Amino acid sequence: MAARSHRSPRRPRRRTALVSVAAVAAVGLAASLVIAFGPDRDTGTEAAGKAGATPAAATTRASAPPSGTPERKKPSATPSKSPSPSASKTTPSATPATEPTKQPTAATGRSGSASGQLAGRIRPGVDYEGVATFYDAGPGGSGACSFGAGDDVMTAAMNTTDYEVSKACGAYVRVRAAGGAAVTVRITNECPSPCRPGQLDLSAEAFAKLAAPSRGEIPITWNLLSPATSGTLSIRYKTGSSQYWCGIQVLGHRNPVARLEVRAGGAWTPLPRTEYNYFLSEQGAGCGGALRITDIYGERLTVEGLTVRPDVVQRTGAQFAAH
């Protein structure tokens, strides 16, 4: 190696026996000084020291963060646990659990934003075309809506399509004939085939307000009303109702009823509606408990304190707002 060869003293050549011991010693001393202070040895040692220290220190800093610095974690975009719904929102999506008690008139009127979701086929602010016929409605217009006898003779039967499994029951409609005559009737019955969509089968008394009975059938237009009334709605449990099974009917409502719910197990549960205009609780859930009634405009009325009294009309003191 170069370093070892520089440290070894050169062996002088034997040219003459006359070289003195002093000359040999001087040459050896000069060679030692040149080797000790030569630039090659110094530069190589310094380079070797710098090349070994710097990468080691850099590797140490890159491989691990300082022990006193905590590792930062990125926040997760997805929550670790989804919030569980409250018990009051366990009703199906059709139930307006998050709707306000009363929708603003502007939102429920002719735009159909709120009423369109609840009204079904008969919507507020829509004029319908059809024909009017008439029949012997009987006392009070009793019929498929199961209202029973009454004093009101201005009634009508709705065609099956627009009757829509009793959704039209209790609705007030304004009927206009081509000549300008008009009459307001309440839907109390269903008119099966051959009645067609748009057709109203009026009571004989109501038809006579529009045209001579001899005409038999006339073209009409009609629309839904929300009439003025001083009365309040009532509740009636069907014959045979008990805490184990019950049918519930709403009477005297200003606006068509869209939904009836019972409170059972801490939640509001909607009941299915029959074609004879009763809401049924087949397993008895909520029978005799609080009721919540929603009209097609989204207004909800809560009725409490009613007991199961079959075939008895029980007044509530509440009524839907006019629109």
Side-chain angles (χ1 to χ4, degrees):
M1 296 178 66
R4 182 172 296 176
S5 63
H6 283 285
R7 287 193 183 98
S8 301
R10 293 183 179 181
R11 186 174 298 174
R13 294 180 180 179
R14 298 177 181 177
R15 294 183 178 180
T16 178
L18 300 176
V19 180
S20 64
V21 177
V24 174
V27 173
L29 177 60
S32 299
L33 292 175
V34 171
I35 294 173
F37 295 98
D40 292 341
R41 176 178 174 84
D42 187 5
T43 303
T45 305
E46 184 181 1
K50 291 180 180 179
T54 303
T59 303
T60 302
R61 286 195 293 270
S63 62
S67 58
T69 304
E71 183 181 358
R72 294 186 179 181
K73 296 181 180 180
K74 294 182 179 180
S76 174
T78 305
S80 59
K81 183 178 181 181
S82 300
S84 57
S86 61
S88 61
K89 296 182 180 180
T90 56
T91 51
S93 59
T95 303
T98 57
E99 293 178 5
T101 301
K102 184 176 183 299
Q103 298 283 350
T105 303
T108 59
R110 302 177 187 273
S111 66
S113 59
S115 59
Q117 298 175 8
L118 296 171
R121 290 184 56 87
I122 303 176
R123 300 167 181 263
V126 178
D127 290 330
Y128 297 88
E129 295 183 353
V131 298
T133 52
F134 69 92
Y135 76 113
D136 183 10
S142 59
C145 292
S146 306
F147 289 141
D151 298 330
D152 185 15
V153 295
M154 294 298 163
T155 62
M158 181 66 73
N159 65 86
T160 297
T161 301
D162 296 323
Y163 183 78
E164 201 174 4
V165 193
S166 76
K167 266 193 172 183
C169 285
Y172 289 88
V173 297
R174 183 73 168 168
V175 186
R176 296 178 299 278
V183 65
T184 297
V185 297
R186 183 170 63 102
I187 305 302
T188 61
N189 205 354
E190 177 184 10
C191 182
S193 180
C195 278
R196 50 200 183 274
Q199 181 173 350
L200 293 175
D201 203 19
L202 305 177
S203 65
E205 293 85 350
F207 188 92
K209 297 286 185 180
L210 301 178
S214 59
R215 295 185 60 181
E217 179 179 308
I218 59 172
I220 59 168
T221 59
W222 55 273
N223 65 285
L224 183 68
L225 293 181
S226 178
T229 179
S230 58
T232 58
L233 58 81
S234 302
I235 299 296
R236 177 165 57 193
Y237 280 95
K238 196 177 188 310
T239 302
S241 294
S242 68
Q243 60 178 320
Y244 306 107
W245 178 96
C246 65
I248 307 171
Q249 185 183 48
V250 185
L251 303 170
H253 44 90
R254 183 201 310 265
N255 306 319
V257 172
R259 181 178 293 108
L260 186 143
E261 301 164 273
V262 295
R263 189 162 59 201
W268 289 106
T269 303
L271 298 183
R273 192 174 194 169
T274 67
E275 62 183 6
Y276 52 89
N277 196 32
Y278 273 88
F279 295 86
L280 294 186
S281 177
E282 297 282 3
Q283 305 302 322
C287 294
L291 308 177
R292 189 163 71 179
I293 308 160
T294 306
D295 71 2
I296 63 171
Y297 297 95
E299 182 179 1
R300 296 182 298 191
L301 303 176
T302 300
V303 178
E304 298 185 88
L306 296 179
T307 59
V308 179
R309 299 172 63 192
D311 207 25
V312 174
V313 177
Q314 302 184 60
R315 289 190 174 274
T316 66
Q319 183 58 273
F320 294 119
H323 291 268

